[in-house]
Every structure is written in structure tokens, then in C-alpha cells.
């Protein structure tokens, strides 16, 4: 910018340290460019303004513990820009910044290349699209909260706000949580419309075993009148299944085993429902986050595909939805199961 304006440069800038990427001005202010990889070495500075590029790829702890304290005393400001990296903390900040009641603390905007309404830009973007996966294109060019290796895309297109009441049959998928996991019960119509979800952690909610059983029974019986079948994930839950089916009213409860062979089938079925736009889900932030964060990788030893969310995050809602959708598929393939 100053290549042909050296005199102006010398009036504004006292020193330009190219080795450390630092610019010092006559008015006493300075600009420093730093890598987030520097970590704790950035601690201690007092700043007025911080700009973060590709913020979604940084750890929130680093921002909270290292960067924010730098502008606390000065009541400074921070600007964070990034493509989304799935529905992580940066996506949460973006959503908070969309709400007017939060604007004293945080504001957010979203812009895509297509928002420029420039025919030449559009032509270039659509040309690049041919060489990218849908998830990659959605992340980089449409600013959707997906990761490039995400299995599910266009999740928002499947969200509905109306209460679904016009259905003939109900199918249930149960992902039973142990230890720190959640139990998720999902009910779906014959048209793959999710009509009910119950998500809970019996330890966090202080339940005993009997209360835990009753919570599952209540969900089943709530939909019993139109219920065709309910798939219960038996993995390590054999005793619970036996106890539940001791109740003659739960005769439509069918054991389902999630294995290295069945899991790819139920996940592929769910992916296809989203791709074909044949599934509807309620507006549920936890479910949307889990879907966008759900990924696969191939086991280097067995060669089998393994599916899960990012380490430390839950995938219980996705698995319950996948089991439920598989129940719909299996129980309607060639007819409707009749219990006599």
C-alpha cells in the first residue's frame, strides 16, 4: 500500500519489524501478528482490539483463558471471522450474536460468495463446486455449519416447526445410555417424520432403576395406540430388555444389536433419507449439532467403517434417530409387521 508513498509511511509508522511481524505507529499504538500456535507465550499483553482469523479452528479455552483477558481491563473489542467447522463453539457464538438481546455483548453476521450477486464470482464458485464434495462446498462457500468430513448435510432443510398429527403408524428407536451417555427415545411416522423425542441421563436426573424403566415404558405406551414396532438397542442391556418385556403391554419391543455390520447399514439409510429429503426432524439444537458433527473413518486393521462424533461429544440422538429410521425401513419393507 505504501510502496509509492514512502514519505507518508514515515510520517505514520516509526518501526516495522519484519522478523516478528510488528508495526509501531507515532501515536503510540501498535499492531502485532501472532499465531495461535504460540499458545501461552501470548499471555500477559494488554490490548484494545483483537482480530482472529479462522476462529472456528481454535480451541475455545485458548480464547477464554488467553485472549479475552487481554482486552478485559481496556474494555476492548474482539472480532472473530471464520468458516464454520461444524456446530462447535463458534457456531454457538454466531447464533447468540443473531439475537438482539445479546447485542450489547456480541453481534454476528454471515456472508457467502453468492451474496455478492456478482455473475463472475458466481460462475467461478459454481465451477469450483464440481471438484468438491457437497459438505466441502457447503462449508467453504455457503457458510453452513458443517465440517468437510461430515456425513450429513442440508440438515436445516429437514427441520419443520409444525406439530405432525396426521399419521397412521408410529415406529420407535431406542438408544439406551449407560454411565455418562444419554438415553434417547425417538418416535417417527411411516413417512419418516419425527413426532417425538425424549433425551435424558438417568444418573444426572437422580433416577433409580425402577424410575428409569418407567420413563422408557411411558414413552412406549404414549404411542402404543398407533405403534407398529419399537427397536431397542440391546448392546449390554439384555437384563433391562428382559425386565421391560416382562410387561405384556410392551410386546412390540424388538431387540436390535448395533454391531460393526449393522451400524454402517443404519447410518447409510439415514444419510440417504437426508440426501433424498425424505425425512423431517423437529427444531432441536442438540440433534442438529450431533448430525453435523457425525463422521466416519475406516479402521486400519479390520477395514470396517467406524462412525462417531468428535471425541468427547455425544452421538446418542443420531444413533436413536438412525435406529428409528431403520425400524421404519425394515418394518415396512414388504408390508407392515402385525403382532398377534
Amino acid at each position: 500500500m505504501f510502496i509509492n508513498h514512502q514519505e507518508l509511511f514515515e510520517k505514520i509508522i516509526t518501526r516495522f519489524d519484519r522478523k516478528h511481524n510488528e508495526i509501531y505507529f507515532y501515536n503510540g499504538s501498535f499492531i502485532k501478528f501472532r499465531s495461535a500456535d504460540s499458545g501461552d507465550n501470548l499471555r500477559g499483553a494488554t490490548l484494545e482490539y483483537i482480530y482472529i482469523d479462522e476462529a472456528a479452528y481454535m480451541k475455545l479455552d485458548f480464547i477464554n483463558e488467553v485472549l479475552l483477558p487481554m482486552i478485559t481491563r481496556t474494555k476492548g473489542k474482539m472480532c472473530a471471522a471464520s468458516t464454520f467447522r461444524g456446530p462447535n463453539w463458534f457456531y454457538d457464538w454466531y447464533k447468540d450474536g443473531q439475537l438482539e438481546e445479546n447485542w450489547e455483548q456480541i453481534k454476528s453476521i454471515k456472508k457467502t460468495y453468492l451474496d455478492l450477486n456478482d455473475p463472475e464470482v458466481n460462475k467461478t464458485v459454481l465451477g469450483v463446486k464440481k471438484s468438491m464434495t457437497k459438505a466441502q462446498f457447503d462449508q467453504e462457500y455457503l457458510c453452513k455449519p458443517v465440517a468437510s468430513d461430515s456425513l450429513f448435510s442440508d440438515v436445516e432443510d429437514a427441520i419443520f416447526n409444525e406439530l405432525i398429527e396426521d399419521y397412521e403408524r408410529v415406529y420407535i428407536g431406542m438408544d439406551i445410555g449407560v454411565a455418562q451417555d444419554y438415553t434417547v427415545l425417538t418416535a417417527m411416522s411411516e413417512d419418516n417424520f419425527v413426532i417425538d423425542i425424549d433425551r435424558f441421563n438417568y444418573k444426572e436426573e437422580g433416577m433409580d432403576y425402577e424410575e428409569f424403566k418407567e420413563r422408557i415404558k411411558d414413552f412406549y405406551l404414549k404411542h402404543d395406540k398407533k405403534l407398529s414396532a419399537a427397536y431397542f438397542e440391546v448392546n449390554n442391556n439384555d437384563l433391562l430388555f428382559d425386565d421391560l418385556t416382562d410387561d405384556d403391554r410392551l410386546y412390540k419391543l424388538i431387540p436390535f444389536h448395533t454391531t460393526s455390520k449393522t451400524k454402517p447399514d443404519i447410518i447409510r439409510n439415514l444419510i440417504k433419507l437426508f440426501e433424498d429429503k425424505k425425512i423431517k426432524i423437529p427444531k432441536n439444537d442438540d440433534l442438529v449439532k450431533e448430525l453435523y458433527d457425525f463422521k466416519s473413518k475406516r479402521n486400519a486393521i479390520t477395514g470396517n467403517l467406524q462412525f462417531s462424533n468428535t471425541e468427547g461429544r455425544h452421538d446418542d440422538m443420531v444413533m436413536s434417530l438412525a435406529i428409528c429410521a431403520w425400524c421404519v425401513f425394515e418394518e415396512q419393507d414388504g408390508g407392515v409387521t402385525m403382532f398377534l
Side-chain angles (χ1 to χ4, degrees), residues 17-165:
D17 188 333
R18 297 180 183 274
K19 180 180 179 181
H20 297 102
N21 288 318
E22 298 176 357
I23 303 173
Y24 294 86
F25 298 86
Y26 273 103
N27 66 356
S29 61
F30 60 83
I31 298 175
K32 297 182 179 181
F33 299 86
R34 294 290 184 265
S35 168
D37 293 335
S38 301
D40 287 347
N41 291 330
L42 297 179
R43 289 179 183 272
T46 300
L47 305 174
E48 298 282 349
Y49 189 87
I50 297 176
Y51 173 81
I52 308 173
D53 192 38
E54 293 297 359
Y57 293 82
M58 297 170 62
K59 292 182 179 180
L60 179 58
D61 287 345
F62 172 75
I63 292 175
N64 286 336
E65 297 173 10
V66 178
L67 299 186
L68 284 179
M70 295 179 181
I71 56 175
T72 300
R73 193 173 69 183
T74 60
K75 297 182 180 180
K77 295 182 179 180
M78 175 184 291
C79 176
S82 184
T83 51
F84 290 121
R85 191 189 184 189
N88 66 357
W89 66 268
F90 184 74
Y91 181 59
D92 290 336
W93 278 22
Y94 163 75
K95 289 193 299 181
D96 289 342
Q98 291 287 289
L99 303 176
E100 188 172 352
E101 62 261 31
N102 296 330
W103 285 357
E104 287 293 323
Q105 293 182 312
I106 182 171
K107 275 188 179 183
S108 63
I109 59 172
K110 182 169 74 170
K111 292 291 182 182
T112 73
Y113 286 96
L114 301 181
D115 289 332
L116 297 173
N117 293 318
D118 185 323
E120 287 301 315
V121 172
N122 291 351
K123 182 179 178 181
T124 302
V125 169
L126 294 176
V128 172
K129 183 178 181 180
K130 298 175 183 178
S131 61
M132 304 178 77
T133 66
K134 189 174 189 313
Q136 288 173 334
F137 185 78
D138 286 349
Q139 179 188 33
E140 295 295 338
Y141 288 93
L142 299 185
C143 203
K144 291 188 177 183
V146 299
S148 59
D149 54 353
S150 175
L151 293 174
F152 298 97
S153 58
D154 291 335
V155 173
E156 279 97 346
D157 293 344
I159 296 174
F160 66 92
N161 296 313
E162 308 86 16
L163 182 64
I164 303 298
E165 296 180 345

Side-chain angles (χ1 to χ4, degrees), residues 1-16 23-27:
M1 288 176 63
F2 288 94
I3 193 71
N4 296 317
H5 306 282
Q6 192 61 32
E7 289 185 10
L8 181 60
F9 180 88
E10 292 174 356
K11 290 179 180 179
I12 299 174
I13 295 171
T14 60
R15 184 164 64 93
F16 183 9
I23 303 173
Y24 294 86
F25 298 86
Y26 273 103
N27 66 356

